[in-house]
Amino acid sequence: MPIKIQSDLPVKEILEKENIFVMDENRAVHQDIRPIQILILNLMPLKEETELQLLRSLSNTPLQVDVTFMAVESHESKNTSISHLNQFYQTFPKVKKRRFDGMIITGAPVEQMAFEEVDYWEELTEIMDWSESHVTSTIYLCWAAQAGLYYHYGLKKRPLEHKMFGLFWHKVLNRRIPLVRGFDDVFLAPHSRHTEVPIEDIHACPHLTVLAESEEAGLFLAMADGGRKIFVMGHPEYDRVTLDGEYKRDLNKNLPIDIPKNYYCNDDPDSRPLLTWRSNANNLYTNWLNYYVYQTTPYDLEGTPHFSDI
């Protein structure tokens, strides 16, 4: 089934070439079903790259998904053109009166700063508060997961001696919970971060249920409030060459960086990386859309006073 986007979004052509079913507004309005309304708060600097990754991830579902992109007002993007932001992105004041079936908050390259020092922290906390009554289920990715765990439950992050970088093995816990339905017992997933929330602190928090973790990388997946909050510490949306690009970027900048673990064949950066995490990543987003969005959200979004009453 299709994912609905604006007809002139630049990544549309790439998705169509990959045989991902996308449709524009004109075609969508002639279908007599209500599309699932998903809001993506994109905090990444290279917004078009993240758009493509997340739209790929959301496309493997029989549901029609209507995506709205949002950017923060309190930060000036230096890596995405103003024309692209003006054409394809909303700001919080423009969407705050709407309700959404689901929301994704991306990571951001600010993890080594204190949360309160991030220039859009106040705006982000307002958005997280707003989501409690206007969004059925929210996924927090990587830095956003750390931010959400800190803001909602007071769990602090800590710096790592070495960047958690590469593909790491994880084991599935609480297999009966639908969010991990179809996952293998152990699976690889990408991480790329300088900080972590200690796994022992997460297990000790009574509000959180850990669904997947790694002996080496710590938390991968946890949920709270019956799936209304989902925390993903890694980057399941990454494509084949994302880690490769990050590695070679840091090398070119003479930054300290180790070769990404379990990524290149024979640890050879000149080899084509194997794509070993896509199936479980697709499972994650498909399960989220089906069990925690579509099966939970009301048909009439505007007629529901508060999602907290669901």
Side-chain angles (χ1 to χ4, degrees):
M1 289 294 283
I3 183 166
K4 175 177 170 285
I5 57 177
Q6 289 176 245
S7 58
D8 50 352
L9 186 72
V11 299
K12 180 174 183 285
E13 182 179 353
I14 300 175
L15 294 169
E16 290 175 333
K17 287 180 179 178
E18 296 177 1
N19 292 319
I20 291 176
F21 188 4
V22 295
M23 68 165 58
D24 60 24
E25 303 95 327
N26 292 329
R27 183 174 180 184
V29 295
H30 295 291
Q31 293 199 327
D32 193 22
I33 58 175
R34 182 176 83 74
I36 299 299
Q37 301 291 330
I38 301 296
L39 178 65
I40 297 177
L41 174 56
N42 191 351
L43 302 174
M44 294 296 283
L46 300 176
K47 299 198 183 304
E48 292 185 60
E49 180 179 303
T50 304
E51 292 163 15
L52 185 58
Q53 292 170 359
L54 289 175
L55 290 175
R56 283 179 178 139
S57 300
L58 295 172
S59 68
N60 294 283
T61 171
L63 305 170
Q64 181 179 319
V65 180
D66 189 347
V67 173
T68 300
F69 289 105
M70 181 169 68
V72 289
E73 275 193 317
S74 44
H75 177 78
E76 181 181 350
S77 178
K78 299 178 181 178
N79 297 281
T80 302
S81 69
I82 295 296
S83 61
H84 185 85
L85 292 171
N86 289 340
Q87 186 169 0
F88 300 112
Y89 279 74
Q90 303 289 327
T91 57
F92 183 50
K94 295 287 184 64
V95 303
K96 65 189 303 183
K97 293 184 179 179
R98 295 176 56 187
R99 301 182 188 276
F100 292 88
D101 299 294
M103 179 167 70
I104 298 172
I105 305 177
T106 74
V110 293
E111 58 184 317
Q112 297 185 75
M113 300 171 60
F115 292 116
E116 290 83 0
E117 292 178 0
V118 176
D119 57 6
Y120 51 81
W121 178 248
E122 185 175 341
E123 182 179 1
L124 179 60
T125 60
E126 185 181 359
I127 292 169
M128 288 192 285
D129 285 338
W130 167 86
S131 71
E132 299 273 14
S133 57
H134 288 75
V135 180
T136 304
S137 178
T138 300
I139 287 183
Y140 298 78
L141 291 174
C142 200
W143 176 82
Q146 298 182 36
L149 291 170
Y150 173 71
Y151 183 69
H152 292 298
Y153 309 113
L155 300 183
K156 297 180 180 180
K157 64 180 179 179
R158 65 185 178 191
L160 296 167
E161 291 185 8
H162 299 281
K163 183 178 183 180
M164 194 71 66
F165 188 50
L167 303 175
F168 298 87
W169 286 103
H170 304 78
K171 60 182 178 181
V172 174
L173 310 177
N174 295 293
R175 177 169 289 284
R176 293 184 179 180
I177 293 179
L179 192 59
V180 290
R181 184 165 293 172
F183 274 62
D184 296 328
D185 287 340
V186 293
F187 63 95
L188 285 166
H191 289 260
S192 179
R193 51 187 167 81
H194 294 274
T195 57
E196 69 173 358
V197 178
I199 189 65
E200 57 271 19
D201 293 352
I202 295 169
H203 278 293
C205 179
H207 303 285
L208 295 166
T209 300
V210 176
L211 302 179
E213 66 181 15
S214 165
E215 290 185 3
E216 188 173 3
L219 178 72
F220 177 73
L221 180 64
M223 60 182 278
D225 295 344
R228 295 208 55 231
K229 299 184 185 73
I230 294 169
F231 304 95
V232 183
M233 197 61 72
H235 281 287
E237 77 284 357
Y238 270 12
D239 60 30
R240 182 191 302 273
V241 296
T242 307
L243 291 173
D244 176 71
E246 292 183 3
Y247 174 63
K248 292 172 180 175
R249 175 202 64 198
D250 287 358
L251 282 181
N252 290 334
K253 292 181 177 180
N254 293 317
L255 296 174
I257 185 67
D258 295 327
I259 194 167
K261 291 191 175 183
N262 304 313
Y263 182 57
Y264 298 115
C265 294
N266 300 317
D267 283 343
D268 178 8
D270 294 325
S271 65
R272 187 171 187 255
L274 292 176
L275 186 58
T276 56
W277 63 95
R278 177 63 56 82
S279 60
N280 283 306
N282 287 343
N283 256 349
L284 174 62
Y285 287 100
T286 299
N287 288 343
W288 174 62
L289 286 173
N290 183 31
Y291 298 112
Y292 298 91
V293 178
Y294 177 72
Q295 301 290 348
T296 304
T297 191
Y299 184 84
D300 183 4
L301 279 172
E302 299 305 322
T304 304
H306 294 285
F307 280 119
S308 56
D309 296 334
I310 298 173

